[in-house]
Amino acid sequence: MLLRPRVPAALVALSFTLHGAASALTVEPVVAGGTLYTVATVNLATDRLQLHWLNPTTQAPYTTFSQLRARLRKEGRSLSFATNSGIYAPGLKPLGLHVENGRTLVPLNMASRGGNFALLPNGVFWVKGTRAGVTETRRYAAMNVQPTFATQSGPLLLQDGKVHPAFNRSGTSFKLRSGVGVCRDGRVRFAVSAGPVNFYSFAVFFRDTLGCPDALYLDGSISAYATADRSTQLAEFAGIWSVSR
């Protein structure tokens, strides 16, 4: 169950629901363990969730929410929500798997060394029609999912309700963090913390507050989100998840 705290008036504007057949997206502030998060809940049966990296006109990364918003506007669509995708490499290229519209633009990365991405187990967030999953990388490789959209990142926050074995309650690495979970109600939930949080607390937030047994860390201090009239972005991105209508 989502906890809906009393929040300052400036934050109330963040919370909205797009009603009707076009979308069931909600974006709202949620407080847990003294930390404020912005949580977007996506219903794949009604919401248009997509992943973007390269602008098809320029073949350059979108890099910003505003660039993606402008592209969608040209296509007759409006941006309802956006957030960064997984960890990326220099040159604004996804570090791991990146699938758009069924096309694999970056292959699965099986690296076992190199920062948070390779803090194994890591995993893949994938979407295929009205189904989604967060799956450990090697298990994903064996499944032959053939998703419509997918991003690889690491570490996994949760796998079958179990917190990543390298996390502990007293962890001293506190940063702003973003992640995505596939929850027991079948919905996808993206979360961006408003302040520093350690990996353990972030994982437990997905499990105990959002009801997601499987969740994936997306990125750290650069993480941000956008709604129809707001953006918290301060750094460029390689990949962007969006909900549009």
Side-chain angles (χ1 to χ4, degrees), residues 91-92 97-98 101 125 127 139 163 185 204 233 242-243:
L92 295 177
L97 180 71
H98 183 100
N101 296 310
F125 167 58
V127 175
R139 184 188 299 180
V163 175
D185 61 8
V204 170
Q233 184 174 10
S242 78
V243 176

Side-chain angles (χ1 to χ4, degrees), residues 107-113 117 120 122 136-138 141 152:
L108 202 65
N109 184 339
M110 307 301 286
S112 59
R113 294 182 180 179
F117 182 92
L120 303 182
N122 59 13
E136 187 272 329
T137 294
R138 294 185 183 279
Q152 183 186 9

Side-chain angles (χ1 to χ4, degrees), residues 181-195:
V182 177
C183 305
R184 285 187 291 271
D185 61 8
R187 287 171 168 79
V188 171
R189 289 190 169 92
F190 293 93
V192 181
S193 70

